[in-house]
Amino acid sequence: MSATGGADGPDQLELVPRPAPRPSRARAAAAVPAAPTRPVAQVVIDSSLPHLDRVFDYAVPLSADAAVVGSRVRVRFAGRLTDAIVVGRVDEGDHAGELKPLERVIGVEPVLTPETIVLVREVADRYAGTFSDVVRAAVPPRHGRAEAVEVPPADWIAPADPARAGRWAAYDAGPALVDRLGSASASGTRAVWSAAPATSWQADAAALVGEVLAHPEGGVIVVVPDAADVDRVLAEVGEARKAGVVAVLTSDQGPERRYREFVRVLRGGVRLVVGTRAAVFAPMHDLRLVIVWDDGNDSLLDPQAPYWDARDVAALRSHLTGCDLVVGSPARSVVTQQWCQSGWAHSVVPSRRTLAERAPAVRALSADDAARDGAAAAARIPHEAWQAARTALATGPVLVQVARRGYLPHLACRSCREVARCACGGPLALAAGSSVAHCTWCGALAGSWACPSCGSRWFRAVSVGAERTTEEIGRAFPGVAVQSSHAGRMVQRVGAEPAIVVATPGAEPECDPGYSAVLILDARVLLQRPFLDAAEDAVRRWFSAARLAAPGGRVLITAENSLRPVQALLRWDAPWFAERDLADRVAAGLPPATRMAALLGAPADIVEVAGSVSVPHQLLGPVPAGDRRDPERHRGLVRVEREHAADLGRELRAVVAARSARGREGVVHVRMDPRDV
């Protein structure tokens, strides 16, 4: 089950050689000097300016001897006091003159460990960002009361539970993965896991966690897309929570609680961290395993510069530290499929026996299928799907997945079909219970709207959202309870009684023992989005809904069965789709077969930045970015082959830093690995 990094692995794994095996917790603590005495502190100041993203030397006065590596300090820079992080202590600095002293140390905690300092720097280099921007995401803001809390050591050992580990017998290579993670001497195991249908992914993840926690040493980080998934994982690790060795790191925690949980991890009082994307940086002592669930989910992509992806950060951390890595998903992303084909990771998929016992019966229905029932036609449900739902309601609940939230989220002119927009350029939508359209950008009402092309004042619906679908299905199924679940109003779990649940992708409630039927409406909407990963994302969302069907249940999708993404669902074989999608991208020279960076700015500036890159590359564009609020903004794509992938981020970072230092050039924003290609 082991795999090693190599030239065929992901590009981020070619940055540094693989480190030596992890030391034990006791040996690691003994190797750290108790009181560093070197007189010069190397610091990185808290600034997003690229040309200031470097190490500066400061003298350490005797009163600031607590300025150990990783601690927060205040320094005087350019005449002002500013925050900084100590990243090193040396005997002599590079500065020839007299060094300015550190003003003071902030707090008592070194918030970055030597391991996370290296990780943060590598992430900044990979994504052409700054050290301080990554630190801002990796380390929560300080809270004084949280530092005063005493943290007992985490010496708890999970009780053995053979039945828990036996869950992985449902997967090919699953028992080998469990044995590998359960071995105290093994490390560097990497697996890509496609979840089995009609099973609990959180229980599967908890089984892997238990294998690591059954040893006296070793910690685990579980990274999930949102707080609802955090709660699902926590429900499966109840014994560890009772023992007080679990920390939760999410963005919706209050400042004090979040920092207190972070301090518990930092002081070694935790063996399991469960959290959202920033938890991938958690300073876990003796990290043994990182689990990332639903790696294709956009929630794992940080929306702030430098736009790092939690999946890739976890892979980079696995390479730097030698810890085990398991990336799971309802389906299979193209990136992780490349990991498997290169040999850097192993594929773990449901066995044929598991699929025969648990997989639902999937049928594709054409959107042009004539609805022979008037009520079904009103609800946009093909007749066969309507009949399947009515039959399934006799035994349990039915799930209906709708592509978009809202009532009528997209409007167009009824006469010329031009997209209806506000004066600010934002698209118009109609909310439930309202007769006046509104702008989805500025919120202004559009009661006097007229089409600028033809002058018509009438709308037509381009797409129908979950709220309108709930209303329509309520009329089509009188007397049946209908619930709606979407972002902002999510239903976590439903019972086994007959009901219809209308949900947007990612908001589908759990149901035990599963839905009697699952209907996937408007499937073509997801496939028609103008993005490279539109089909991959559609497959992921369809599998997320279909896996909630009870064993032997029915899944009906309104799409042509000849489409490759639909075929993947019919076969219940997401790796098959990912393999073919990857082959198409290799032939076309598209990511992840190559690496791309998006440059946003003025056309001349984009050309100048791209021309400053020394590695062999190709510039696609620049073309207008399509930003109605900034019509002058253009976009260019820099593409390099995989052997130069690791150098692209570092070179773009250096180019942007040089332009920032001169200060007169136009600003060019860099976004590595854009998903909206």
Side-chain angles (χ1 to χ4, degrees), residues 31 48 96 108 192 217 642:
S48 295
V108 298
V192 176
E217 295 183 344
R642 278 179 48 78

Side-chain angles (χ1 to χ4, degrees), residues 37 60 90 130 150 159 217 268 310 421 435 575 596 624:
T37 58
V60 181
V90 295
T130 66
E150 293 197 11
E217 295 183 344
R421 294 189 178 275
S435 59
M596 281 188 175

Side-chain angles (χ1 to χ4, degrees), residues 226-582:
D226 53 45
D229 289 329
V230 169
D231 293 337
R232 294 185 179 111
V233 174
L234 293 177
E236 297 291 339
V237 293
E239 293 178 343
R241 294 183 71 188
K242 291 178 182 178
V245 296
V246 180
V248 178
L249 295 175
T250 62
S251 58
D252 58 352
Q253 293 172 313
E256 182 177 358
R257 183 188 172 194
R258 186 181 179 193
Y259 191 64
R260 184 173 63 248
E261 294 288 275
F262 179 83
V263 169
R264 290 180 60 221
V265 182
L266 194 61
R267 294 180 181 175
V270 166
R271 295 197 63 194
L272 172 61
V273 171
V274 182
T276 48
R277 59 175 175 263
V280 74
F281 292 99
M284 174 66 73
H285 289 243
D286 191 21
L287 179 61
R288 282 285 308 280
L289 172 65
V290 178
I291 299 176
V292 179
W293 169 252
D294 201 8
D295 66 290
N297 196 307
D298 286 342
S299 296
L300 296 180
L301 183 66
D302 191 63
Q304 305 295 327
Y307 314 107
W308 49 267
D309 190 317
R311 173 194 59 206
D312 294 339
V313 174
L316 182 57
R317 189 165 188 178
S318 173
H319 175 70
L320 293 172
T321 66
C323 70
D324 301 328
L325 172 67
V326 177
V327 177
S329 174
R332 176 68 61 83
S333 66
V334 176
V335 170
T336 54
Q337 179 63 25
Q338 183 190 50
W339 293 0
C340 295
Q341 291 184 198
S342 69
W344 189 79
H346 285 271
S347 177
V348 179
V349 297
S351 65
R352 290 187 178 181
R353 179 178 178 179
T354 300
L355 294 179
E357 294 175 350
R358 302 183 189 176
V362 184
R363 178 173 173 78
L365 303 174
S366 170
D368 299 328
D369 187 22
R372 296 186 294 273
D373 185 281
R380 307 177 359 263
I381 303 177
H383 182 73
E384 185 175 345
W386 189 87
Q387 291 283 16
R390 185 171 63 178
T391 302
L393 284 170
T395 57
V398 173
L399 173 64
V400 180
Q401 186 192 70
V402 183
R404 294 190 175 99
R405 61 177 295 189
Y407 193 74
L408 296 178
H410 293 87
L411 299 175
C413 174
R414 181 186 293 181
S415 299
C416 67
R417 309 299 175 90
E418 183 75 17
V419 175
R421 294 189 178 275
C422 174
C424 73
L428 298 182
L430 190 65
S434 175
S435 59
V436 180
H438 68 277
C439 177
T440 58
W441 285 3
C442 67
L445 296 178
S448 59
W449 178 86
C451 177
S453 298
C454 67
S456 173
R457 305 180 65 87
W458 297 94
F459 296 113
R460 67 182 295 270
V462 176
S463 62
V464 177
E467 293 181 30
R468 176 64 178 265
T469 303
T470 302
E471 181 182 292
E472 293 174 343
I473 288 181
R475 291 196 297 263
F477 293 89
V480 178
V482 181
Q483 298 186 63
S484 178
S485 179
H486 53 77
R489 195 177 66 185
M490 288 183 61
V491 178
Q492 299 299 332
R493 181 173 291 275
V494 297
E497 61 275 4
I500 296 179
V501 181
V502 180
T504 53
E508 301 91 348
E510 297 279 336
C511 178
D512 189 16
Y515 291 95
S516 298
V518 175
L519 311 182
I520 302 175
L521 302 184
D522 307 326
R524 290 183 296 181
V525 171
L526 296 179
L527 294 175
Q528 292 170 349
R529 294 177 302 162
F531 302 129
L532 176 63
D533 63 349
E536 173 190 335
D537 191 55
V539 170
R540 181 184 65 83
R541 297 185 184 202
W542 297 343
F543 272 78
S544 295
R547 59 174 296 275
L548 297 175
R554 299 193 65 186
V555 174
L556 295 100
I557 179 171
T558 57
E560 300 290 342
N561 61 9
S562 60
L563 299 175
R564 186 187 292 171
V566 179
Q567 279 291 314
L569 185 63
L570 294 174
R571 300 164 178 246
W572 204 274
D573 193 353
W576 170 85
F577 169 78
E579 179 182 358
R580 280 151 183 78
D581 196 10
L582 177 60

Side-chain angles (χ1 to χ4, degrees), residues 585-665:
R585 297 193 192 187
V586 170
L590 295 172
T594 57
R595 194 172 188 214
M596 281 188 175
L599 307 181
L600 296 171
D605 294 324
I606 291 174
V607 172
E608 182 180 341
V609 170
S612 301
V613 175
S614 63
V615 297
H617 67 278
Q618 180 182 11
L619 175 62
L620 307 176
V623 298
D627 189 343
R628 290 176 174 265
R629 290 170 289 189
D630 186 3
E632 300 300 319
R633 197 181 202 195
H634 282 61
R635 185 191 198 200
L637 294 174
V638 177
R639 178 171 63 183
V640 300
E641 297 299 326
R642 278 179 48 78
E643 57 264 29
H644 304 296
D647 299 323
L648 180 60
R650 285 195 291 263
E651 288 210 14
L652 284 174
R653 176 175 166 275
V655 171
V656 171
R659 291 170 59 86
S660 174
R662 292 192 292 269
R664 291 188 296 273
E665 287 84 351

